[in-house]
């Protein structure tokens, strides 16, 4: 099994409801987890820059294969625009397997 855990940093996936990911939460991702349209995933993209150098970006988002040529990576916060790219630029995906929510400690 090719899985790993990461701690959520930042608020790009924060929001209301069950699909909310807050800073400090832990998510487990797997390279062996198939990604279906609308699944949450960590996605690495690679593209060639204007001068021929390769660049990459890795984001945690909701993955949509809008058609055979385009992928839309959608964050949960509505004010963060989707990242739309050619399907050929998706290098690797890791599907979400488990979400461990950080619990708030109550002060007495």
């Amino acid at each position: 099994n090719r899985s790993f855990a990461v701690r959520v940093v930042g608020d790009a996936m924060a929001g209301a409801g069950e699909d909310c990911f807050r800073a400090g939460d832990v998510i487990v991702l797997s390279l062996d987890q198939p990604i279906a349209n609308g699944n949450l995933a960590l996605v690495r993209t690679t593209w060639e820059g204007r001068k021929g150098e390769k660049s990459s970006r890795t984001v945690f988002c909701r993955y949509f294969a809008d058609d055979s040529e385009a992928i839309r990576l959608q964050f949960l916060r509505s004010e963060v625009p989707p990242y739309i790219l050619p399907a050929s630029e998706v290098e690797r995906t890791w599907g979400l397997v488990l979400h461990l929510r950080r619990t708030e400690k109550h002060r007495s």
Side-chain angles (χ1 to χ4, degrees):
N1 188 353
R2 299 176 293 168
S3 299
F4 60 95
V6 295
R7 186 171 306 275
V8 175
V9 176
D11 63 356
M13 295 299 286
E18 287 289 318
D19 287 339
C20 175
F21 296 84
R22 291 186 170 59
D25 287 0
V26 173
I27 57 175
V28 177
L29 301 146
S30 174
L31 189 58
D32 300 321
Q33 180 73 19
I35 308 296
N37 208 34
N39 284 155
L40 291 163
L42 186 66
V43 181
R44 180 185 299 150
T45 64
T46 302
W47 66 94
E48 191 169 315
R50 291 182 192 168
K51 297 179 182 178
E53 70 276 355
K54 294 244 181 206
S55 298
S56 69
R57 180 177 183 186
T58 304
V59 296
F60 180 65
C61 56
R62 196 169 293 281
Y63 181 96
F64 293 94
D66 289 332
D67 61 43
S68 62
E69 295 181 18
I71 302 296
R72 177 171 40 103
L73 306 179
Q74 180 71 55
F75 300 98
L76 292 179
R77 292 184 57 179
S78 60
E79 67 271 17
V80 178
Y83 182 42
I84 300 170
L85 64 154
S88 62
E89 293 181 0
V90 173
E91 179 183 320
R92 180 170 286 188
T93 60
W94 295 270
L96 178 68
V97 176
L98 182 64
H99 177 197
L100 303 170
R101 295 187 189 277
R102 187 183 79 180
T103 58
E104 298 292 330
K105 294 184 179 183
H106 299 286
R107 295 183 183 193
S108 304

